[in-house]
Structures are given as structure tokens and as C-alpha cells.
Amino acid sequence: DIVMTQTPLSSPVTLGQPASISCRSSQSLVHSNGNTYLSWLQQRPGQPPRLLIYKISNRFSGVPDRFSGSGAGTNFTLKISRVEAEDVGVYYCMQGTQLCSFGQGTKLEIK
Amino acid sequence: EEQLVESGGGLVQPGGSLRLSCAASGFTLSRHWMTWVRQAPGKGLEWVANINQDGSETNYADSVKGRFIISRDNAKNSLYLQMNSLRAEDTAIYYCAESGGTRAWGQGTLVIVSS
């Protein structure tokens, strides 16, 4: 099974400042079809998960461009260029290359 | 607009059964592997099961293997999860999702297993 490890688990950020979350997989996430099924989800308090980024770096419909994803193989990063109050919540990385698994979640909060 | 809508949750006694449904609109379910994910109260996301495009291949988390059955009806653009021998630890919000993580998630349906 592929284990997903996120760091940090908690991230206090000042409004307007950047934030970064890392996700590492225990195996390469490159699928036999050449795609890498690494996604980032945002879960605001009391809400269902919301897809932000899919296949490493593709922003989903309606996602602000301050969110960006990067990485390859086993190391991936979600960056928020300027944190806004509405970004508070828990962020998960998800792999769909081999079955499915999630990181532990990173809680983003405002300082 | 693409949408997934889960239904069928509720309160059930330990040992009971429940069948969850997931209806897709705005995209063709039959083209995708599909997945059920759950989230226990205050916890993270846990993969439960997935199924390939024609339903001929299924996979389950060890925690539900032998008790849950995932299935699909492509003609109805729907996904299902039959949950048997339910335990208190199955209490969670259940979400359906496209397995590759490339589609929006639904609102989920709450399952409470309690006497």
C-alpha cells in the first residue's frame, strides 16, 4: 500500500503571506499510463472536501490562481501565494495511482 | 456542471445493513474507476473501496473486506455501497469520488452505527 506523508501537520500563517504544504509518497505515483494521480483537497470546517488540484498541477474549475501544485515521482507541494481568511481549513493530498490513499491532513490557520 | 450526490445514510444498529447510492450528473460515470471514501467524526479521510469501469474489478480496505460490496449501474450513472455487519467504527460520512482524483466531490451521506 502507498503511504502518503504530509508536512507540516499544522501551519499558522499570516494573512497575505505564502504557505506551503509538502506531501511525500512511499512509492512513485507515476501510473503505467504515464499520468501521476496526485490531487490536493481543501476541507473547510463543517464542509465536504473540495478538489483544488489534480494530476499534480492542474487547478480544478473555480479554484483561485493563488493555489498551485508541483512535484514529481514521490515528492509534491501545494503552495498558496497569499493566504486569505477563507483558506482556513485542512488540506489533504490524495493519490489515485494505486488504489487510493490520503495524507494525514495539514491544518492551515491564521496567526 | 459535474455533480456527485450521495444518499442512503442514516442510523442503524450494530450488525445491521445499509445501502448507499451515488448519482452522477454532468459526467459519464462509466468512463471512470470510482471510489468510496469515508471520514469518521473528527478524523481524516479513509479509502473504503473502488471499482473499475465495467464493475469486473473491485478492491476493498482491510477494515471493510467481507462486509461491504461496491457496485455500479452505468445505465443509471450510479455507484453503490452495500454495507453489512455494521460496527460502531463504521460511523462516518461516506463520499463517492472519481478514483483518479480529477472530479468534484459530493456532499457525502452520514452513517451512524449505534444502539
Side-chain angles (χ1 to χ4, degrees):
Chain A
D1 294 3
I2 297 180
V3 176
M4 306 295 287
T5 303
Q6 285 182 232
T7 54
L9 298 184
S10 178
S11 179
V13 183
T14 302
L15 287 174
Q17 293 301 302
S20 179
I21 301 170
S22 294
C23 178
R24 178 171 294 182
S25 57
S26 60
Q27 301 173 37
S28 171
L29 297 186
V30 180
H31 193 275
S32 57
N33 65 12
N35 289 312
T36 299
Y37 295 103
L38 186 284
S39 307
W40 289 96
L41 306 166
Q42 175 196 60
Q43 189 170 33
R44 292 170 172 153
Q47 296 294 313
R50 171 197 179 199
L51 178 63
L52 295 176
I53 303 285
Y54 64 95
K55 288 196 281 186
I56 301 178
S57 59
N58 297 276
R59 264 189 307 276
F60 192 62
S61 175
V63 174
D65 61 7
R66 65 178 182 275
F67 290 94
S68 64
S70 63
T74 62
N75 287 284
F76 306 93
T77 303
L78 174 71
K79 291 183 179 177
I80 308 173
S81 58
R82 295 173 305 280
V83 171
E84 298 188 5
E86 65 179 16
D87 299 336
V88 165
V90 180
Y91 291 78
Y92 296 93
C93 58
M94 166 190 169
Q95 70 82 15
T97 293
Q98 184 187 110
L99 300 181
C100 174
S101 52
F102 299 90
Q104 315 97 300
T106 295
K107 188 173 186 178
L108 184 75
E109 51 195 8
I110 306 301
K111 278 184 186 175
Chain B
E1 181 189 1
E2 297 183 355
Q3 199 172 15
L4 292 170
V5 178
E6 301 91 343
S7 61
L11 174 63
V12 61
Q13 292 188 337
S17 297
L18 217 50
R19 189 193 194 211
L20 306 183
S21 299
C22 169
S25 60
F27 78 99
T28 305
L29 213 68
S30 60
R31 295 178 182 169
H32 304 280
W33 277 79
M34 295 296 295
T35 287
W36 284 99
V37 174
R38 67 184 180 184
Q39 187 171 36
K43 302 296 184 182
L45 299 169
E46 179 191 15
W47 171 71
V48 173
N50 66 4
I51 186 168
N52 70 344
Q53 288 89 337
D54 65 4
S56 61
E57 183 176 346
T58 58
N59 299 286
Y60 298 92
D62 287 343
S63 57
V64 307
K65 201 172 293 183
R67 300 187 298 122
F68 290 12
I69 300 171
I70 186 172
S71 63
R72 64 195 301 158
D73 185 337
N74 288 334
K76 294 183 178 179
N77 220 28
S78 293
L79 178 73
Y80 306 100
L81 186 68
Q82 177 67 43
M83 304 188 297
N84 301 320
S85 302
L86 283 161
R87 306 166 179 167
E89 55 264 36
D90 296 318
T91 293
I93 299 174
Y94 286 73
Y95 300 98
C96 64
E98 183 273 327
S99 295
T102 66
R103 294 289 193 272
W105 287 46
Q107 294 292 310
T109 187
L110 176 62
V111 173
I112 300 174
V113 184
S114 175
S115 55

